Amino acid sequence: MTVDRDQVLRTAAALLTRKATATMDEVARAAGIGRATLHRHFAGREALVRALEELGIRELEGALDKARLDEGDASDALRRMVAEVEPVAGLLAFLVTENQLFEGEQMNAGWARIDARVSVLFKRGQERGEFRIDLTPAWLTEALYGLIGAGAWAVQDGRVAAKDFQYMIAELLLGGVRRSVEK
Amino acid sequence: MTVDRDQVLRTAAALLTRKATATMDEVARAAGIGRATLHRHFAGREALVRALEELGIRELEGALDKARLDEGDASDALRRMVAEVEPVAGLLAFLVTENQLFEGEQMNAGWARIDARVSVLFKRGQERGEFRIDLTPAWLTEALYGLIGAGAWAVQDGRVAAKDFQYMIAELLLGGVRRSVEK
DNA sequence: CCCGAGTGAGACGTTTGTGTCTCACTCGGG
DNA sequence: CCCGAGTGAGACACAAACGTCTCACTCGGG
């Protein structure tokens, strides 16, 4: 009887990932609950998005944990990261564009933590001599988000195959499009 | 006295690039005209966005023309393309996310033309042996859009320097993050 | 069995942006 | 100089979504 708050959140995430402008009513129906009940658990769309942000941050940090970014080759760590992040890619894309809208307000501290961890990976790769040093970790982090978002949308719209998601992103980011001598 | 329709469009593009949810009133004020006048020239927000789409497509196709994608190295052509597209990057990012929302309706044929031209460049690079063949032109095209959008936003928010825009995108896309033997 | 916490449906008022209309004004060309 | 096309300001009605509230209902634990 009692609503499973986490289940509602995940349903909302799945819906908003597909249709970012879905109304509270649509979210409620998708979750199989009444609009009033949705409001009882999340005081308004704002609060819902914030809760989704918390969820996304939590899952992302979990993914980064599992990826063990500080172990072994930076390249392998990057591949592990992309693999672990894949299930959250759609939600990540939604939250990134959502954050893009609310320019003024300060962002959730979780994003800073995540940015820092990803940045550190790129820096580690540079210090190990694995990664080139003419591209800043900050840009590489942004680029990673951009590629993940592009990949998630491309998969969603059927422009690329879901099974290629990890490979496409990780290998493009690692090696670029140019044919390289090492391979 | 008479409103310069193209000037209004460009002002709207600049504003919506920064704040995608700007109202018609904000657009009108930004363009220095009354809301009624804005409606006289564009029958509603929908029409305005469509006109912006036309503008963006026109400018993008112009940029692709100037980049001479079918001449010389595919790598150099790619660099030229990124350079020419830079001024339209913000508008492109806005339109891409805007298109992401209206899932159902069929998209403007201009996008298909642009996609095709970019795709052909990647394919040409592959056929010349310059580009790797394990990443599809379709994905590379999507990835390019993603990187341009990420770059435009990062510059807008001051996370990376505007002067690095072209280099960051083109070189990351070409060579990836991994240190390569050739360089 | 029963009672109450939690829920669904829906009504209601509010807010926000939209689109239309009117009216006075102001240029600028004839 | 004068007239009218084009404009700005504002009023107005409308639609969509929001947030709140009420009320009947239904589980499930005590």
Side-chain angles (χ1 to χ4, degrees):
Chain A
M1 187 183 189
T2 300
V3 162
D4 179 349
R5 177 188 160 106
D6 212 67
Q7 179 52 34
V8 172
L9 264 186
R10 287 174 199 284
T11 306
L15 173 60
L16 290 172
T17 288
R18 276 180 282 115
K19 185 182 175 187
T21 57
T23 66
M24 292 294 276
D25 193 77
E26 289 174 298
V27 171
R29 288 181 188 286
I33 64 176
R35 199 162 62 93
T37 305
L38 182 60
H39 270 90
R40 283 187 196 105
H41 287 269
F42 306 97
R45 186 193 183 76
E46 173 83 8
L48 176 63
V49 172
R50 293 304 167 113
L52 278 175
E53 195 172 31
E54 296 293 341
L55 174 66
I57 287 172
R58 200 184 330 141
E59 305 233 316
L60 268 176
E61 296 201 295
L64 296 188
D65 290 342
K66 280 194 283 185
R68 308 185 314 281
L69 297 187
D70 53 353
E71 293 182 19
D73 281 1
S75 299
D76 289 338
L78 180 59
R79 288 193 187 92
R80 288 196 301 270
M81 173 168 66
V82 173
E84 295 292 345
V85 167
E86 176 171 8
V88 205
L91 179 55
L92 175 61
F94 165 71
L95 292 174
V96 166
T97 56
E98 194 77 6
N99 263 349
Q100 190 60 22
L101 299 183
F102 298 124
E103 34 178 321
E105 321 172 32
Q106 82 270 7
M107 65 177 187
N108 190 307
W111 294 120
R113 286 199 302 274
I114 291 168
D115 285 358
R117 290 178 69 176
V118 175
S119 255
V120 162
L121 168 63
F122 286 120
K123 190 171 295 179
R124 187 168 76 86
Q126 290 177 335
E127 286 165 356
R128 294 186 86 217
E130 265 184 89
F131 291 168
R132 55 201 289 191
I133 61 172
D134 59 337
L135 299 175
T136 67
W139 161 239
L140 294 172
T141 303
E142 297 285 337
L144 173 67
Y145 295 158
L147 286 180
I148 288 175
W153 282 352
V155 167
Q156 200 143 72
D157 295 3
R159 291 193 292 273
V160 305
K163 69 173 173 52
D164 298 331
F165 180 89
Q166 295 177 22
Y167 182 85
M168 289 186 325
I169 291 178
E171 297 310 318
L172 176 59
L173 195 48
L174 280 172
V177 73
R178 208 193 287 117
R179 248 177 106 175
S180 177
V181 178
E182 69 170 9
K183 180 62 190 304
Chain B
M1 186 182 191
T2 301
V3 162
D4 179 348
R5 176 189 160 105
D6 213 67
Q7 178 54 34
V8 172
L9 263 187
R10 286 173 200 284
T11 307
L15 173 60
L16 290 172
T17 287
R18 276 179 282 115
K19 185 182 175 186
T21 57
T23 66
M24 293 295 275
D25 193 76
E26 289 174 297
V27 171
R29 289 183 186 284
I33 64 177
R35 199 163 63 93
T37 304
L38 181 60
H39 270 91
R40 282 187 197 106
H41 288 269
F42 306 97
R45 186 192 183 76
E46 173 83 9
L48 176 62
V49 172
R50 292 305 167 112
L52 279 174
E53 195 172 31
E54 295 294 340
L55 175 65
I57 287 171
R58 202 185 328 143
E59 304 233 317
L60 266 176
E61 296 200 295
L64 296 188
D65 289 342
K66 278 195 283 185
R68 308 185 314 282
L69 297 187
D70 52 354
E71 293 182 19
D73 281 1
S75 300
D76 289 337
L78 180 59
R79 290 193 186 91
R80 288 196 300 270
M81 175 169 65
V82 173
E84 295 292 345
V85 167
E86 176 171 8
V88 205
L91 180 55
L92 174 62
F94 165 71
L95 292 174
V96 166
T97 56
E98 194 76 7
N99 264 349
Q100 190 60 22
L101 299 184
F102 298 125
E103 34 178 322
E105 320 173 34
Q106 81 271 7
M107 66 178 187
N108 190 306
W111 294 119
R113 286 198 302 274
I114 290 169
D115 284 359
R117 291 177 69 177
V118 175
S119 254
V120 162
L121 168 63
F122 286 119
K123 189 170 297 181
R124 186 168 76 87
Q126 290 176 335
E127 285 165 357
R128 293 186 86 217
E130 265 184 89
F131 292 168
R132 55 201 290 192
I133 61 171
D134 58 337
L135 299 175
T136 67
W139 161 239
L140 294 172
T141 303
E142 296 285 335
L144 173 67
Y145 296 158
L147 286 179
I148 288 176
W153 282 352
V155 167
Q156 200 144 72
D157 295 2
R159 291 193 293 272
V160 305
K163 69 173 174 50
D164 298 331
F165 180 90
Q166 295 177 24
Y167 182 85
M168 289 185 324
I169 291 177
E171 298 310 319
L172 176 59
L173 195 48
L174 280 172
V177 74
R178 207 193 287 117
R179 246 176 109 174
S180 179
V181 178
E182 68 170 9
K183 179 61 190 303

